[in-house]
Amino acid sequence: GQNIDQPTEMTATEGAIVQINCTYQTSGFNGLFWYQQHAGEAPTFLSYNVLDGLEEKGRFSSFLSRSKGYSYLLLKELQMKDSASYLCAPMDSNYQLIWGAGTKLIIKP
Amino acid sequence: GAVVSQHPSRVICKSGTSVKIECRSLDFQATTMFWYRQFPKQSLMLMATSNEGSKATYEQGVEKDKFLINHASLTLSTLTVTSAHPEDSSFYICSVTHLDSDTSKQFFGPGTRLTVL
């Protein structure tokens, strides 16, 4: 079957760094997306990885290891506005995104 | 700017009525749009894939006669919740797929919060 495994909730301090891990199993693979979702809002696109390695985009970086079925999202210099849910979504062989429940990130002052 | 719009953003209706939600792709033509539903504190659930000019493909467990999808043009898809009941209260989100040079990205609409009394 297809499944996503992320921590349910994480807490971090403003200004710090946090890494959100994701392991996945899919039927085929066409890349992995990370989305940010604030409460009551639709998800917004953060990053896309299709090859192994690290993709850096400002304060956010995303890493992928296809052989391990593993990805992480790294958030640096955390700000209060980063409090949100972070969704790891791999794309299967049908180009369909597979969604988990996401990780709720709580930022404390 | 916004790539995908949805209307209305919020709707409250009585049980038994029908509600239509519009999803528009603003920046590009979308042959495929997706409809998701999200209950509080749960993950996004794909309801159906909307294909321009043809019938939508529904996920298992989603009643096609209850959730009518029309994708009449390359920029507009509509979801109609027929004879809505309180258990249909949810956050409905559409997305469109944009194929660029090296990736297929999904852009989400802002969502529609439906409350059925």
Side-chain angles (χ1 to χ4, degrees), chain B residues 9 20 27 37 41 49-50 56 70 80 84 90:
Chain B
S9 59
K20 179 186 283 189
D27 285 1
R37 181 168 54 183
K41 299 183 180 180
T49 302
S50 171
N70 185 292
T80 301
S90 187

Side-chain angles (χ1 to χ4, degrees), chain A residues 13-29:
Chain A
T13 305
E14 189 177 15
I17 299 173
V18 71
Q19 178 173 313
I20 302 174
N21 295 321
C22 169
T23 57
Y24 62 89
Q25 288 180 309
T26 56
S27 300
F29 183 76

Side-chain angles (χ1 to χ4, degrees), chain A residues 34 45-49 54-62 73-76, chain B residues 105:
Chain A
W34 281 93
F45 170 79
L46 287 179
S47 68
Y48 172 74
N49 295 67
L54 187 68
E55 293 277 345
E56 296 186 76
K57 189 184 294 185
R59 293 190 299 116
F60 294 2
S61 302
S62 56
L73 181 70
L74 190 72
L75 294 78
K76 302 176 184 177
Chain B
K105 295 179 183 175

Side-chain angles (χ1 to χ4, degrees), chain A residues 33 35 37 40 42 48 97 99-100, chain B residues 36 38 43 103-104 106 108-109:
Chain A
F33 295 80
Y35 287 87
Q37 186 178 26
Y48 172 74
L97 289 175
W99 297 95
Chain B
Y36 294 86
Q38 186 178 30
S43 69
T103 183
S104 172
Q106 281 200 8
F108 290 88

Side-chain angles (χ1 to χ4, degrees), chain A residues 30 33 35 37-45 48 50 57 87 91 94-97 99-102 104, chain B residues 6 34 36 38 41-46 49 59 91 93 97 102-111 113:
Chain A
N30 279 297
F33 295 80
Y35 287 87
Q37 186 178 26
H38 285 101
E41 298 180 11
T44 54
F45 170 79
Y48 172 74
V50 67
K57 189 184 294 185
L87 305 168
M91 183 175 278
N94 294 318
Y95 293 94
Q96 184 169 306
L97 289 175
W99 297 95
K104 182 179 180 181
Chain B
Q6 273 185 247
F34 299 91
Y36 294 86
Q38 186 178 30
K41 299 183 180 180
Q42 296 187 22
S43 69
L44 286 171
M45 290 173 46
L46 180 64
T49 302
E59 295 300 301
F91 193 46
I93 306 170
T97 298
D102 61 357
T103 183
S104 172
K105 295 179 183 175
Q106 281 200 8
F107 295 91
F108 290 88
R113 186 161 301 283

Side-chain angles (χ1 to χ4, degrees), chain B:
Chain B
V3 176
V4 182
S5 71
Q6 273 185 247
H7 177 80
S9 59
R10 187 181 296 268
V11 59
I12 301 172
C13 69
K14 293 181 179 180
S15 183
T17 60
S18 293
V19 175
K20 179 186 283 189
I21 302 170
E22 292 185 350
C23 176
R24 292 183 184 274
S25 175
L26 302 179
D27 285 1
F28 52 86
Q29 295 180 330
T31 55
T32 303
M33 292 184 177
F34 299 91
W35 285 98
Y36 294 86
R37 181 168 54 183
Q38 186 178 30
F39 293 105
K41 299 183 180 180
Q42 296 187 22
S43 69
L44 286 171
M45 290 173 46
L46 180 64
M47 298 176 66
T49 302
S50 171
N51 300 297
E52 188 268 336
S54 65
K55 292 182 179 180
T57 303
Y58 290 83
E59 295 300 301
Q60 193 171 10
V62 178
E63 299 174 59
K64 62 180 181 180
D65 294 330
K66 180 170 180 63
F67 298 98
L68 302 179
I69 291 173
N70 185 292
H71 194 154
S73 77
L74 288 170
T75 58
L76 174 64
S77 175
T78 61
L79 168 68
T80 301
V81 183
T82 61
S83 187
H85 291 285
E87 57 265 30
D88 298 323
S89 297
S90 187
F91 193 46
Y92 292 86
I93 306 170
C94 73
S95 73
V96 304
T97 298
H98 182 46
L99 293 171
D100 62 22
S101 59
D102 61 357
T103 183
S104 172
K105 295 179 183 175
Q106 281 200 8
F107 295 91
F108 290 88
T112 297
R113 186 161 301 283
L114 171 64
T115 303
V116 185
L117 303 176

